[in-house]
Amino acid sequence: MEQMEKSIEEIRALLGISAKAPAQIPADQDRRELEREVTRLIHQVGVPAHIKGYRYLREAIIIAVKDVDAVDAITKKLYPAVAKTFQTTPSRVERAVRHAVELAWDRGDLDTLEMIFGHTISSMKGKSTNSEFIALISDHIRLKGEYNEMD
């Protein structure tokens, strides 16, 4: 667990993102627009829409965009919040998200994965963890929201 928290902090440091920085989503950005952007990105990285983990992952990323600290407490805060939304258990959410992440790394678009994950991916390291995946996509959206209007 300590190693995972350390790697998330290293990734944030590389991206120049403070762990305690407030989410910088424009005030007029409503949930529907955010959901569209998250959906577009997870489609691009190759998460199939027909699996449960797709919906859970989308909700987890939306929560993480709005609350950067949620990724730091993924098992205590994020998974339970997603589980409550979908009336399931946090362990089922974790497993379904892990499956979705595995499929993205196995079948996903390498250019999009490279764009979002950059040098944090390597053939030796393999796929990212659930928290790395959620943190990097939510950070990507948050940063894009600071500098560009979302589609």
Side-chain angles (χ1 to χ4, degrees), residues 17 22-30 33-34 37-38 40-41 65-66 136-151:
I17 301 168
Q24 297 293 320
I25 301 300
D28 61 341
Q29 178 76 37
D30 67 0
E33 290 176 33
L34 178 57
E37 180 66 11
V38 171
R40 186 184 66 75
L41 272 173
V65 168
K66 293 179 178 182
L136 285 169
I137 290 183
S138 64
D139 285 346
H140 178 81
I141 291 169
R142 196 176 305 104
L143 287 172
K144 184 177 177 186
E146 279 185 37
Y147 303 110
N148 302 314
E149 287 186 32
M150 289 189 189
D151 300 330

Side-chain angles (χ1 to χ4, degrees), residues 50-71:
H50 69 280
I51 61 172
K52 282 185 183 179
Y54 171 88
R55 293 182 300 148
Y56 299 164
L57 182 60
R58 181 174 58 195
E59 184 66 21
I61 292 168
I62 290 169
I63 292 169
V65 168
K66 293 179 178 182
D67 179 8
V68 285
D69 294 329
V71 178

Side-chain angles (χ1 to χ4, degrees), residues 1 12 22 25 29-30 39 46 61 63-64 69 75 82 88 100 114 126:
M1 185 66 164
R12 284 190 174 137
I25 301 300
Q29 178 76 37
D30 67 0
T39 300
I61 292 168
I63 292 169
D69 294 329
T75 57
V82 174
T88 188
E114 176 69 27

